[in-house]
Amino acid sequence: TMPRAVASSHLMIRLAAEYSVSFERCVEGTGITRSMLADPLTEIEGRQELAVLRNILRAVGPSVPFALEAGLRHHITTHGMWGFALVSSANVRSAVDLALRYFDLTFSFNRIRFEVDGALALTSYDASDNPDDLQPALVERDLAALLTLQREGLGRVMPVHSLQLRARAPAYASVFQAMFGVTPQFNAPRNCICILAKYLDESGPLADET
């Protein structure tokens, strides 16, 4: 994977500290130091961020919705210029187009596909290139980050029509209902979040209409 800003790893390490996971445990075997995290311009390799996530997931255990919580903390400012470009888009449809065109600039490890099927707009997350043990968490992190982008860019979260996840239901399955407003279909053929296509024409308070 391409080099990536250290911000996402830094964010996860700060969240892990709230679960009493030490810095040393988070970065064990990764080569990441405190001084690297202190410089927002530091770039690391994708495998280093994946190793941080794996260390933390092992430390907090399977009952903690860590990836969902981490995703919620990926604010527009965390995404840098990509995030600011999204919120200044004329509407959701143009924001999605821009997001996909420059998706390599995000913190995601997944491949994204967007399609409109009649009255529904579907966003699929292909995690198959990622390590098997991290695939569910990497999808969950992206899904939760999407909520924060909507909340900060649109001023509200668009109602979710349905949510499909390839993973088995985790111990914290009830958290999805609270966050997304729907109960996911687990053990599904794909990872897919679906909204009504009519919401694609909505614009946020920072939209540039020109």
Side-chain angles (χ1 to χ4, degrees):
T1 55
M2 293 169 54
R4 50 185 48 230
V6 77
S8 188
S9 293
H10 195 187
L11 179 157
M12 292 194 296
I13 291 169
R14 287 201 309 269
L15 176 58
E18 297 177 21
Y19 287 98
S20 302
V21 181
S22 69
F23 173 81
E24 290 73 22
R25 181 138 190 213
C26 291
V27 300
E28 184 179 351
T30 68
I32 295 174
T33 63
R34 290 186 189 274
S35 60
M36 290 168 68
L37 293 181
D39 181 0
L41 296 180
T42 298
E43 290 190 331
I44 59 173
E45 295 179 23
R47 63 175 180 79
Q48 291 175 286
E49 183 173 328
L50 293 176
V52 168
L53 177 58
R54 180 179 286 115
N55 288 343
I56 294 172
L57 291 177
R58 287 176 177 169
V60 299
S63 64
V64 173
F66 182 84
L68 288 172
E69 293 180 14
L72 287 178
R73 298 193 185 198
H74 278 71
H75 299 289
I76 285 171
T77 50
T78 314
H79 294 284
M81 291 306 298
W82 183 84
F84 287 115
L86 290 198
V87 298
S88 59
S89 297
N91 54 34
V92 173
R93 193 184 303 272
S94 58
V96 169
D97 180 58
L98 185 118
L100 295 177
R101 213 175 330 144
Y102 298 104
F103 199 71
D104 286 346
L105 299 177
T106 72
F107 292 104
S108 177
F109 284 87
N110 302 308
R111 284 177 294 169
I112 303 296
R113 182 171 175 226
F114 176 79
E115 58 186 314
V116 175
D117 184 3
L120 300 177
L122 304 94
T123 305
S124 303
Y125 296 80
D126 180 355
S128 58
D129 288 342
N130 298 316
D132 290 350
D133 63 321
L134 296 180
Q135 286 182 18
L138 291 170
V139 171
E140 289 173 16
R141 191 175 71 164
D142 279 10
L143 288 169
L146 180 64
L147 296 184
T148 294
L149 277 175
Q150 290 179 13
R151 192 174 289 116
E152 295 180 352
L154 280 176
R156 74 185 194 98
V157 173
M158 292 181 287
V160 176
H161 180 270
S162 62
L163 179 60
Q164 295 179 310
L165 294 169
R166 294 189 65 211
R168 297 192 304 270
Y172 49 84
S174 61
V175 174
F176 288 92
Q177 168 69 42
M179 281 180 60
F180 296 93
V182 296
T183 301
Q185 175 195 344
F186 293 101
N187 298 302
R190 59 179 174 172
N191 302 302
C192 181
I193 188 167
C194 174
I195 65 168
L196 296 179
K198 67 180 182 180
Y199 294 125
L200 297 177
D201 296 318
E202 292 197 5
S203 57
L206 302 178
D208 182 357
E209 304 291 352
T210 57

